[in-house]
Amino acid sequence: MNAALNPATPAPERAKSYYSASLNEETSYPTLQGEVNVDIAIIGGGFTGVATAVELAERGYKVAIVETNKVGWGASGRNGGQVTGSLSGDSAMEKQMRQWLGDDVDDFIWHLRWRGHEIIKSRVEKYGIQCDLKFGHLHAAMKQSHMDELKATFDDAKRRGMGDEISLLDGAGVRAHLESDLYCGAIKNTRNMHLHPLNLCIGEAKAAASLGTLIFEHSEVLDIIHGPRPAVVTSGGRINAAQVMLAGDVYHKLERKQLKGMIFPAMGGIVTTRPLGELAKRINPQDLAVYDCRFVLDYYRMTGDGRLLFGGGANYSGRDSRDIAGELRPCIERTFPALKGVDIEFQWSCAMGIVMNRIPQLGKLSENVWYCQGYSGHGVATTHIMGEIMATAMTGDLEKFDTFAQCKHIRVPMGDVFGNPMLAAGMWYYQMMEKLR
């Protein structure tokens, strides 16, 4: 990878991020013009849409993806790049899904945690996708109550056969992995991964295209036609399909009658430093991804060219921060004192789709129109899990889809007005509770 990136000249029509400045190749898919007929039309060229398209194309279906901007333009191409077994909303899932899964719910959720890893690893290998895929992660404790929670997680993972892939570290053990005094312990997990998400998303789109999937960029969907033979309509054309899937997450304003008030944007800020050279190996010698145990957490990792990529401090107002670097620099310097004053070369925001109960939302808008959204900050792995579930459902097996579709979600009245203030209030509550943990 080219270490001499220029933050002032990102790839065109993308966020000015490290990811857009370090693309393997830019996309150049056409704008939809005229009428196209396919088996399944997917609205949204992020991980959900692209992962579902690969699954369907591998099964022999004719698929079209239609994207308002460019493949990977949204959260899929701007996130922290960590692939972990952490499922947002797992407690709520367990409570609701127990009603129809019974005692099998624990195994269902456990295997769900790791399915995204298997899909991504297999796909990267199968299609030769270059996305800086690396293994190794620390879930780090900042106080004893965090360690008590990690010990329970460690015991459960070991009981389930992960003893060769996990270890429980004390403070000294963490300091052997990170040049930081911030943590009193951690779980080290060598199954968890980290990667360049934009290169992964674009690589998967390329794989889908190689299997016959049609991809259209700069083609905003204006309407979804429901009926026995549904269609999606843009200003320049129309895609007729047997089925349609809406996979735009928090970025679209389609089907507001049914979806309004169900998902809300939270803005995450991310920065990358200049290339650190030998200093990168000093502060993080095993090249691990890290996040901590707090409700509002920090997360970081080293990029392929030896920069520190650091994110945190989600903004639940739904509005971008004015100075992401200014907000995150104190966190970087507190974590790694050796980086005091380090140059920050890229800063950008990432809009995450937050669901009130944190359970991904899968459902139907009509007989042949489906939707899938809402990963609440855990999207890299979860989108791939949901892509497999959606593809399986649209080809006739509804078992796992129904397990999610039956979950009850909170719909906020006048969501455009009250949704984000409710999220902000909820996170304030959790931050207060954090002090009592």
Side-chain angles (χ1 to χ4, degrees):
M1 182 178 291
N2 179 14
L5 304 177
N6 185 352
T9 56
E13 300 170 293
R14 295 189 183 275
K16 295 180 180 179
S17 72
Y18 165 76
Y19 296 134
S20 65
S22 55
L23 283 178
N24 293 332
E25 56 182 312
E26 183 53 276
T27 59
S28 58
Y29 296 106
T31 299
L32 177 63
Q33 299 289 337
E35 196 161 320
V36 174
N37 296 294
V38 297
D39 298 319
I40 298 171
I42 297 174
I43 303 168
F47 276 138
T48 302
V50 169
T52 305
V54 174
E55 295 281 351
L56 290 166
E58 287 179 337
R59 303 177 197 198
Y61 288 83
K62 184 69 172 181
V63 183
I65 297 172
V66 58
E67 163 60 39
T68 298
N69 298 290
K70 294 180 78 68
V71 168
W73 178 89
S76 298
R78 307 189 199 189
N79 62 73
Q82 298 195 24
V83 184
T84 72
S86 177
L87 286 174
S88 187
D90 51 0
S91 297
M93 283 184 212
E94 187 275 331
K95 183 177 180 180
Q96 291 204 39
M97 293 176 180
R98 189 171 293 279
Q99 299 175 48
W100 45 88
L101 294 180
D103 291 339
D104 291 338
V105 68
D106 295 324
D107 287 341
F108 176 82
I109 292 174
W110 175 259
H111 293 299
L112 202 69
R113 291 183 183 280
W114 308 108
R115 181 57 187 152
H117 297 60
E118 296 166 1
I119 294 169
I120 292 170
K121 183 174 180 290
S122 173
R123 197 161 289 164
V124 166
E125 292 172 352
K126 181 176 181 178
Y127 295 104
I129 300 172
Q130 299 301 312
C131 59
D132 300 333
L133 179 63
K134 307 173 189 177
F135 291 84
H137 178 267
L138 294 182
H139 191 184
M142 300 181 75
K143 54 185 176 181
Q144 186 55 49
S145 61
H146 294 167
M147 278 304 297
D148 295 340
E149 295 166 7
L150 290 182
K151 179 63 163 59
T153 300
F154 172 80
D155 289 342
D156 187 38
K158 193 171 182 180
R159 177 177 64 82
R160 289 179 175 275
M162 285 186 64
D164 292 340
E165 297 173 289
I166 58 170
S167 52
L168 192 65
L169 308 177
D170 59 13
V174 176
R175 289 189 291 276
H177 292 77
L178 300 173
E179 194 180 70
S180 177
D181 294 325
L182 196 59
Y183 309 112
C184 62
I187 290 178
K188 180 181 179 181
N189 183 317
T190 58
R191 182 183 296 187
N192 283 339
M193 307 182 293
H194 52 110
L195 47 76
H196 189 303
L198 183 53
N199 277 333
L200 174 62
C201 190
I202 289 174
E204 288 184 285
K206 187 175 181 180
S210 75
L211 297 170
T213 295
L214 305 175
I215 301 176
F216 302 100
E217 295 182 318
H218 303 301
S219 302
E220 180 181 5
V221 172
L222 304 177
D223 193 19
I224 300 173
I225 307 298
H226 297 260
R229 183 71 176 177
V232 297
V233 179
T234 72
S235 62
R238 175 185 176 118
I239 303 176
N240 302 308
Q243 301 181 79
V244 170
M245 175 179 157
L246 178 52
D249 203 62
V250 78
Y251 287 94
H252 73 87
K253 295 295 182 182
L254 295 166
E255 300 294 328
R256 303 304 289 160
K257 184 176 180 180
Q258 295 190 61
L259 297 180
K260 187 176 181 179
M262 292 181 65
I263 184 173
F264 305 95
M267 307 307 294
I270 303 178
V271 301
T272 53
T273 68
R274 62 168 174 78
L276 299 178
E278 290 301 314
L279 185 55
K281 297 176 182 177
R282 196 181 100 195
I283 65 171
N284 189 352
Q286 295 191 25
D287 203 1
L288 303 172
V290 182
Y291 58 63
D292 64 63
C293 292
R294 294 173 298 167
F295 289 118
V296 181
L297 51 81
D298 291 337
Y299 52 92
Y300 53 89
R301 62 185 185 86
M302 308 310 300
T303 65
D305 57 350
R307 304 164 186 266
L308 178 70
L309 183 149
F310 195 103
N315 173 1
Y316 288 86
S317 72
R319 296 184 297 271
D320 277 323
S321 167
R322 295 181 181 179
D323 183 10
I324 297 167
E327 293 174 3
L328 291 181
R329 179 180 292 280
C331 304
I332 293 172
E333 295 179 352
R334 179 180 63 159
T335 306
F336 295 113
L339 297 185
K340 186 173 179 60
V342 68
D343 292 337
I344 293 176
E345 293 194 352
F346 296 89
Q347 59 176 311
W348 68 95
S349 62
C350 172
M352 300 170 283
I354 305 295
V355 174
M356 288 296 181
N357 65 7
R358 302 304 199 262
I359 302 175
Q361 297 171 342
L362 281 64
K364 279 189 167 187
L365 297 164
S366 60
E367 182 59 31
N368 297 315
V369 179
W370 313 66
Y371 69 91
C372 180
Q373 63 184 24
Y375 313 108
S376 301
H378 295 260
V380 183
T382 310
T383 49
H384 288 79
I385 298 166
M386 297 304 142
E388 182 178 62
I389 291 173
M390 293 302 296
T392 301
M394 286 187 284
T395 55
D397 183 350
L398 293 166
E399 182 179 2
K400 289 183 179 178
F401 171 85
D402 284 343
T403 300
F404 279 90
Q406 294 175 94
C407 289
K408 294 181 174 62
H409 291 278
I410 300 168
R411 185 188 298 274
V412 179
M414 294 184 67
D416 290 346
V417 176
F418 296 119
N420 280 102
M422 286 184 65
L423 278 181
M427 291 313 299
W428 176 85
Y429 167 79
Y430 282 119
Q431 285 176 292
M432 293 302 101
M433 291 298 291
E434 175 71 54
K435 296 180 180 179
L436 302 176
R437 285 169 81 191

